[in-house]
Amino acid sequence: MTLKALIWDVDGTLAETEEAHRAAFNRTFSARGLDWEWDWDKYRDLLRVTGGVERMTHYVRTERPDALPDDAMVETVHAMHKQKTAEYVAALQRGELPLRPGVARLLAEARDAGMRLAIATTTSAPNISALLDHSPDPVRLDWFEVVGAGGVIPNKKPAPDIYLWTLERLGLSGADCLAMEDSRNGLDSATAAGVPAVITTSSYTRDQQFPGALAVADSLGEPDAPMQLVSGDGRGRRWIDLDLLRQWHRNGR
Ligand code: XBP
Ligand code: MG
């Protein structure tokens, strides 16, 4: 089976974005006079729930049950999420959040080789363009033929919906593709959609388990910054390139 497309996750995979998300959530809470403060440990636990709206709803229901009356929950949480997204986008516009090691290199190599590229993410659409438009790297949103972002499907990762939505628009089967992910939720979503996955762990997912992943590494690596392979057969390589992805895809390992 020939590898026909790489489907990329965004947060934690293209860039280490979650600290910027966490800061945007906290700025939103503070601007609304709420004494909710998500520290690193709290946020790591909350990241089990994908989607900012779902994450805030889960937090209110489980830890702040008296904060919002049920009939105001949906409207208030969506308004807060809109504010949080504006905070996040503004933060990316102010500072340059670089893509992770090897991401720009591998995307450029794949693009030059005519490999189709897509995105399948839980995050909100404005966050993707804000990341790519303001990153110091040359990668742009129009490099990706299909962009599947959180709001287009009802059930977010680990449900397969966003990968199935992206595969349908690519006109490909899961077996034709590889998913590039950072989290267990992302791995489970891709696997459920029949897409084999390669994991590059991020700061929040280092301790997670990734059963069934083709390979798990701490990054894609660069010639001057080799990857550390956690599982899988790196065939002696020091960084992940298109040839290694093709071998993993062809051999299923
Ligand atoms: C990660 C997520 C998102 C972000 C926050 O998405 O689960 O919810 O944490 O973004 P992925 P939003 O790893 O699939 O890219 O607030 O826009 O959801
Ligand atoms: Mg991710």
Side-chain angles (χ1 to χ4, degrees):
M1 179 78 74
T2 307
L3 178 59
K4 294 178 183 157
L6 300 180
I7 304 176
W8 293 75
D9 165 56
V10 174
D11 293 311
T13 301
L14 287 183
E16 281 280 10
T17 54
E18 289 296 356
E19 277 302 89
H21 281 299
R22 183 169 72 90
F25 282 111
N26 286 330
R27 277 197 301 276
T28 301
F29 302 150
S30 167
R32 287 172 167 261
L34 297 167
D35 66 346
W36 309 351
E37 173 76 23
W38 290 354
D39 64 16
W40 194 93
D41 288 319
K42 167 62 68 187
Y43 195 61
R44 181 202 46 213
D45 296 344
L46 288 170
L47 273 172
R48 284 198 311 271
V49 179
T50 58
V53 166
E54 295 80 353
R55 192 169 302 142
M56 284 190 281
T57 303
H58 167 79
Y59 174 74
V60 172
R61 289 225 166 94
T62 55
E63 303 200 30
R64 302 281 179 161
D66 305 328
L68 297 173
D70 268 356
D71 60 356
M73 171 83 85
V74 173
E75 186 183 348
T76 306
V77 168
H78 276 85
M80 288 171 72
H81 191 251
K82 191 160 177 257
Q83 189 174 350
K84 174 265 171 183
T85 299
E87 287 278 359
Y88 177 79
V89 169
L92 293 195
Q93 289 168 343
R94 283 195 301 271
E96 290 193 342
L97 186 60
L99 300 185
R100 291 190 65 190
V103 168
R105 168 184 56 75
L106 182 54
L107 280 169
E109 181 188 2
R111 177 178 158 85
D112 292 348
M115 176 67 64
R116 298 169 70 184
L117 298 172
I119 282 176
T121 177
T122 305
T123 201
S124 309
N127 297 343
I128 311 169
S129 35
L131 173 66
L132 296 179
D133 292 350
H134 299 282
S135 122
D137 298 290
V139 179
R140 288 294 169 262
L141 192 59
D142 65 12
W143 289 22
F144 300 91
E145 181 184 331
V146 174
V147 178
V152 295
I153 40 88
N155 306 305
K156 295 184 177 171
K157 298 175 184 177
D161 301 35
I162 194 63
Y163 276 99
L164 294 172
W165 186 96
T166 302
L167 286 170
E168 186 186 352
R169 280 150 187 79
L170 284 170
L172 295 173
S173 74
D176 293 323
C177 307
L178 272 185
M180 309 299 289
E181 273 283 354
D182 75 303
S183 70
R184 177 61 185 270
N185 278 330
L187 170 64
D188 289 351
S189 176
T191 304
V195 185
V198 172
I199 305 294
T200 50
T201 57
S202 58
S203 58
Y204 277 104
T205 67
R206 269 253 145 91
D207 300 332
Q208 293 181 357
Q209 301 300 308
F210 300 98
L214 283 181
V216 179
D218 68 340
S219 81
L220 291 172
E222 290 284 28
D224 59 354
M227 66 166 163
Q228 297 299 319
L229 205 62
V230 175
S231 71
D233 179 359
R235 294 169 170 80
R237 306 290 181 78
R238 292 155 29 95
W239 62 89
I240 295 172
D241 61 8
L242 192 55
D243 177 60
L244 185 52
L245 290 181
R246 282 191 169 119
Q247 290 194 49
W248 280 336
H249 179 263
R250 188 169 53 245
N251 301 309
R253 55 177 288 278

